[in-house]
Short mmCIF file of all heavy atoms in Angstrom, two decimals:
data_model
loop_
_atom_site.label_atom_id
_atom_site.label_comp_id
_atom_site.label_asym_id
_atom_site.label_seq_id
_atom_site.Cartn_x
_atom_site.Cartn_y
_atom_site.Cartn_z
N GLU A 699 -0.34 -3.27 0.36
CA GLU A 699 0.71 -2.37 -0.15
C GLU A 699 1.79 -3.17 -0.89
O GLU A 699 2.31 -2.72 -1.93
CB GLU A 699 1.34 -1.59 1.01
CG GLU A 699 0.40 -0.59 1.68
CD GLU A 699 0.04 0.58 0.78
OE1 GLU A 699 0.66 0.74 -0.29
OE2 GLU A 699 -0.88 1.34 1.15
N ALA A 700 2.12 -4.36 -0.39
CA ALA A 700 3.12 -5.19 -1.05
C ALA A 700 2.63 -5.63 -2.43
O ALA A 700 3.40 -5.66 -3.41
CB ALA A 700 3.44 -6.41 -0.20
N MET A 701 1.35 -5.98 -2.53
CA MET A 701 0.79 -6.37 -3.82
C MET A 701 0.72 -5.20 -4.79
O MET A 701 0.95 -5.36 -5.99
CB MET A 701 -0.60 -6.97 -3.61
CG MET A 701 -0.58 -8.31 -2.86
SD MET A 701 -2.23 -8.99 -2.55
CE MET A 701 -2.68 -9.51 -4.22
N ILE A 702 0.44 -4.02 -4.25
CA ILE A 702 0.43 -2.82 -5.11
C ILE A 702 1.83 -2.55 -5.65
O ILE A 702 2.01 -2.21 -6.83
CB ILE A 702 -0.11 -1.60 -4.33
CG1 ILE A 702 -1.61 -1.77 -4.05
CG2 ILE A 702 0.16 -0.30 -5.09
CD1 ILE A 702 -2.20 -0.69 -3.17
N GLN A 703 2.85 -2.71 -4.78
CA GLN A 703 4.22 -2.51 -5.23
C GLN A 703 4.60 -3.54 -6.29
O GLN A 703 5.25 -3.21 -7.30
CB GLN A 703 5.18 -2.62 -4.04
CG GLN A 703 6.64 -2.31 -4.39
CD GLN A 703 6.82 -0.91 -4.96
OE1 GLN A 703 6.39 0.07 -4.37
NE2 GLN A 703 7.44 -0.81 -6.14
N ALA A 704 4.18 -4.80 -6.10
CA ALA A 704 4.46 -5.84 -7.09
C ALA A 704 3.79 -5.51 -8.41
O ALA A 704 4.36 -5.73 -9.49
CB ALA A 704 3.97 -7.19 -6.57
N ARG A 705 2.59 -4.96 -8.35
CA ARG A 705 1.89 -4.57 -9.58
C ARG A 705 2.62 -3.41 -10.26
O ARG A 705 2.77 -3.38 -11.49
CB ARG A 705 0.45 -4.17 -9.24
CG ARG A 705 -0.34 -3.62 -10.42
CD ARG A 705 -1.78 -3.38 -10.01
NE ARG A 705 -2.53 -2.75 -11.08
CZ ARG A 705 -2.72 -1.44 -11.21
NH1 ARG A 705 -2.18 -0.60 -10.32
NH2 ARG A 705 -3.41 -0.95 -12.23
N THR A 706 3.09 -2.45 -9.45
CA THR A 706 3.84 -1.32 -10.02
C THR A 706 5.11 -1.80 -10.72
O THR A 706 5.43 -1.35 -11.83
CB THR A 706 4.19 -0.32 -8.90
OG1 THR A 706 2.98 0.16 -8.28
CG2 THR A 706 4.98 0.86 -9.44
N ASP A 707 5.81 -2.74 -10.06
CA ASP A 707 7.02 -3.30 -10.66
C ASP A 707 6.70 -4.02 -11.96
O ASP A 707 7.46 -3.91 -12.95
CB ASP A 707 7.70 -4.27 -9.69
CG ASP A 707 8.23 -3.56 -8.44
OD1 ASP A 707 8.40 -2.32 -8.50
OD2 ASP A 707 8.45 -4.24 -7.42
N ALA A 708 5.58 -4.76 -12.00
CA ALA A 708 5.19 -5.48 -13.21
C ALA A 708 4.87 -4.51 -14.34
O ALA A 708 5.23 -4.75 -15.51
CB ALA A 708 3.99 -6.37 -12.91
N ARG A 709 4.25 -3.42 -14.02
CA ARG A 709 3.91 -2.43 -15.05
C ARG A 709 5.17 -1.79 -15.61
O ARG A 709 5.28 -1.54 -16.82
CB ARG A 709 2.97 -1.38 -14.48
CG ARG A 709 1.60 -1.94 -14.11
CD ARG A 709 0.74 -0.91 -13.42
NE ARG A 709 0.23 0.11 -14.33
CZ ARG A 709 -0.45 1.18 -13.95
NH1 ARG A 709 -0.67 1.37 -12.65
NH2 ARG A 709 -0.88 2.04 -14.83
N LYS A 710 6.14 -1.51 -14.71
CA LYS A 710 7.40 -0.92 -15.18
C LYS A 710 8.13 -1.88 -16.11
O LYS A 710 8.81 -1.46 -17.06
CB LYS A 710 8.29 -0.56 -13.99
CG LYS A 710 7.80 0.66 -13.20
CD LYS A 710 8.72 0.96 -12.03
CE LYS A 710 8.25 2.18 -11.25
NZ LYS A 710 9.12 2.45 -10.07
N ALA A 711 8.00 -3.19 -15.80
CA ALA A 711 8.65 -4.21 -16.64
C ALA A 711 7.79 -4.55 -17.86
O ALA A 711 8.13 -5.48 -18.61
CB ALA A 711 8.90 -5.45 -15.81
N LYS A 712 6.69 -3.83 -18.04
CA LYS A 712 5.75 -4.05 -19.14
C LYS A 712 5.12 -5.44 -19.11
O LYS A 712 4.72 -5.99 -20.14
CB LYS A 712 6.43 -3.79 -20.50
CG LYS A 712 6.97 -2.35 -20.64
CD LYS A 712 7.38 -2.05 -22.06
CE LYS A 712 7.98 -0.66 -22.20
NZ LYS A 712 7.06 0.42 -21.73
N ASP A 713 5.06 -6.03 -17.92
CA ASP A 713 4.37 -7.31 -17.75
C ASP A 713 2.93 -7.00 -17.34
O ASP A 713 2.53 -7.18 -16.19
CB ASP A 713 5.08 -8.14 -16.67
CG ASP A 713 4.53 -9.55 -16.58
OD1 ASP A 713 3.51 -9.83 -17.25
OD2 ASP A 713 5.11 -10.37 -15.83
N PHE A 714 2.16 -6.56 -18.31
CA PHE A 714 0.81 -6.08 -18.01
C PHE A 714 -0.14 -7.20 -17.62
O PHE A 714 -1.11 -6.99 -16.89
CB PHE A 714 0.25 -5.30 -19.21
CG PHE A 714 1.08 -4.08 -19.54
CD1 PHE A 714 1.80 -4.01 -20.72
CD2 PHE A 714 1.17 -3.02 -18.65
CE1 PHE A 714 2.57 -2.90 -21.03
CE2 PHE A 714 1.93 -1.89 -18.94
CZ PHE A 714 2.64 -1.84 -20.14
N ALA A 715 0.14 -8.41 -18.10
CA ALA A 715 -0.70 -9.54 -17.71
C ALA A 715 -0.60 -9.78 -16.20
O ALA A 715 -1.60 -10.03 -15.52
CB ALA A 715 -0.28 -10.80 -18.48
N GLU A 716 0.63 -9.71 -15.65
CA GLU A 716 0.82 -9.90 -14.22
C GLU A 716 0.20 -8.74 -13.44
O GLU A 716 -0.41 -8.95 -12.38
CB GLU A 716 2.31 -10.00 -13.89
CG GLU A 716 2.66 -10.06 -12.41
CD GLU A 716 2.11 -11.28 -11.70
OE1 GLU A 716 1.56 -12.19 -12.37
OE2 GLU A 716 2.22 -11.33 -10.47
N ALA A 717 0.35 -7.53 -13.97
CA ALA A 717 -0.24 -6.36 -13.30
C ALA A 717 -1.76 -6.49 -13.22
O ALA A 717 -2.37 -6.21 -12.18
CB ALA A 717 0.15 -5.08 -14.04
N ASP A 718 -2.35 -6.95 -14.33
CA ASP A 718 -3.81 -7.14 -14.34
C ASP A 718 -4.23 -8.25 -13.39
O ASP A 718 -5.28 -8.17 -12.74
CB ASP A 718 -4.29 -7.45 -15.76
CG ASP A 718 -4.19 -6.24 -16.69
OD1 ASP A 718 -4.03 -5.11 -16.18
OD2 ASP A 718 -4.25 -6.43 -17.91
N ARG A 719 -3.41 -9.30 -13.31
CA ARG A 719 -3.74 -10.42 -12.43
C ARG A 719 -3.77 -9.96 -10.97
O ARG A 719 -4.67 -10.33 -10.21
CB ARG A 719 -2.70 -11.54 -12.60
CG ARG A 719 -3.04 -12.81 -11.79
CD ARG A 719 -1.84 -13.71 -11.63
NE ARG A 719 -0.79 -13.11 -10.80
CZ ARG A 719 -0.86 -13.00 -9.48
NH1 ARG A 719 -1.92 -13.45 -8.82
NH2 ARG A 719 0.13 -12.44 -8.81
N ILE A 720 -2.79 -9.14 -10.59
CA ILE A 720 -2.74 -8.64 -9.21
C ILE A 720 -3.95 -7.75 -8.93
O ILE A 720 -4.57 -7.86 -7.87
CB ILE A 720 -1.43 -7.88 -8.96
CG1 ILE A 720 -0.23 -8.85 -9.05
CG2 ILE A 720 -1.45 -7.17 -7.61
CD1 ILE A 720 1.11 -8.17 -9.00
N ARG A 721 -4.28 -6.89 -9.89
CA ARG A 721 -5.43 -6.00 -9.70
C ARG A 721 -6.71 -6.83 -9.54
O ARG A 721 -7.54 -6.54 -8.67
CB ARG A 721 -5.55 -5.06 -10.90
CG ARG A 721 -6.66 -4.02 -10.74
CD ARG A 721 -6.83 -3.17 -11.98
NE ARG A 721 -7.69 -2.04 -11.66
CZ ARG A 721 -7.27 -0.80 -11.50
NH1 ARG A 721 -6.00 -0.51 -11.62
NH2 ARG A 721 -8.13 0.17 -11.22
N ASP A 722 -6.87 -7.86 -10.38
CA ASP A 722 -8.07 -8.70 -10.31
C ASP A 722 -8.13 -9.46 -9.00
O ASP A 722 -9.22 -9.63 -8.41
CB ASP A 722 -8.10 -9.68 -11.49
CG ASP A 722 -8.31 -8.97 -12.82
OD1 ASP A 722 -8.74 -7.79 -12.81
OD2 ASP A 722 -8.04 -9.57 -13.87
N GLU A 723 -6.97 -9.94 -8.52
CA GLU A 723 -6.94 -10.67 -7.25
C GLU A 723 -7.37 -9.78 -6.10
O GLU A 723 -8.14 -10.20 -5.22
CB GLU A 723 -5.54 -11.22 -6.99
CG GLU A 723 -5.44 -12.04 -5.70
CD GLU A 723 -4.04 -12.55 -5.42
OE1 GLU A 723 -3.19 -12.51 -6.34
OE2 GLU A 723 -3.79 -12.98 -4.28
N LEU A 724 -6.90 -8.55 -6.11
CA LEU A 724 -7.31 -7.61 -5.07
C LEU A 724 -8.79 -7.29 -5.18
O LEU A 724 -9.49 -7.19 -4.16
CB LEU A 724 -6.48 -6.33 -5.17
CG LEU A 724 -5.02 -6.44 -4.70
CD1 LEU A 724 -4.24 -5.20 -5.09
CD2 LEU A 724 -4.96 -6.65 -3.18
N ALA A 725 -9.28 -7.15 -6.41
CA ALA A 725 -10.70 -6.84 -6.60
C ALA A 725 -11.58 -7.97 -6.06
O ALA A 725 -12.64 -7.73 -5.46
CB ALA A 725 -11.00 -6.60 -8.07
N GLU A 726 -11.13 -9.21 -6.24
CA GLU A 726 -11.88 -10.35 -5.72
C GLU A 726 -11.95 -10.32 -4.20
O GLU A 726 -12.89 -10.84 -3.61
CB GLU A 726 -11.22 -11.66 -6.18
CG GLU A 726 -11.43 -11.95 -7.67
CD GLU A 726 -10.68 -13.20 -8.11
OE1 GLU A 726 -10.06 -13.87 -7.24
OE2 GLU A 726 -10.70 -13.51 -9.31
N LYS A 727 -10.94 -9.74 -3.58
CA LYS A 727 -10.90 -9.65 -2.13
C LYS A 727 -11.56 -8.35 -1.63
O LYS A 727 -11.45 -8.00 -0.46
CB LYS A 727 -9.45 -9.72 -1.64
CG LYS A 727 -8.78 -11.07 -1.95
CD LYS A 727 -7.34 -11.07 -1.47
CE LYS A 727 -6.63 -12.35 -1.86
NZ LYS A 727 -7.22 -13.53 -1.19
N GLY A 728 -12.20 -7.61 -2.55
CA GLY A 728 -12.92 -6.41 -2.16
C GLY A 728 -12.05 -5.17 -2.07
O GLY A 728 -12.43 -4.19 -1.42
N ILE A 729 -10.88 -5.18 -2.72
CA ILE A 729 -9.97 -4.03 -2.69
C ILE A 729 -9.92 -3.41 -4.07
O ILE A 729 -9.58 -4.06 -5.06
CB ILE A 729 -8.55 -4.45 -2.25
CG1 ILE A 729 -8.60 -5.17 -0.90
CG2 ILE A 729 -7.63 -3.24 -2.20
CD1 ILE A 729 -9.19 -4.35 0.23
N ILE A 730 -10.27 -2.14 -4.15
CA ILE A 730 -10.28 -1.40 -5.42
C ILE A 730 -9.05 -0.50 -5.49
O ILE A 730 -8.72 0.20 -4.53
CB ILE A 730 -11.55 -0.54 -5.54
CG1 ILE A 730 -12.80 -1.41 -5.34
CG2 ILE A 730 -11.58 0.18 -6.88
CD1 ILE A 730 -12.94 -2.54 -6.33
N LEU A 731 -8.37 -0.52 -6.63
CA LEU A 731 -7.19 0.33 -6.84
C LEU A 731 -7.57 1.55 -7.66
O LEU A 731 -8.34 1.46 -8.61
CB LEU A 731 -6.09 -0.46 -7.56
CG LEU A 731 -5.60 -1.74 -6.88
CD1 LEU A 731 -4.44 -2.35 -7.67
CD2 LEU A 731 -5.18 -1.48 -5.44
N ASP A 732 -7.00 2.68 -7.27
CA ASP A 732 -7.21 3.93 -7.99
C ASP A 732 -5.85 4.47 -8.42
O ASP A 732 -5.01 4.80 -7.57
CB ASP A 732 -7.92 4.97 -7.11
CG ASP A 732 -9.33 4.53 -6.73
OD1 ASP A 732 -10.07 4.13 -7.63
OD2 ASP A 732 -9.66 4.58 -5.53
#
């Protein structure tokens, strides 16, 4: 949940590279975001 919040904050700040990095990191750990 903390990583999802960090990704949400990055998207609001238009830091899409960081948002994508968090999503990819979670995906590597077997967590899919919807």
Side-chain angles (χ1 to χ4, degrees):
E699 293 292 349
M701 292 178 72
I702 291 174
Q703 185 58 53
R705 175 174 175 266
T706 300
D707 294 340
R709 294 174 73 186
K710 287 180 179 178
K712 300 191 183 303
D713 188 352
F714 299 113
E716 174 63 8
D718 290 344
R719 185 197 67 75
I720 294 173
R721 185 184 192 105
D722 292 344
E723 182 181 346
L724 287 169
E726 288 176 4
K727 296 179 184 295
I729 304 301
I730 306 301
L731 302 184
D732 295 311

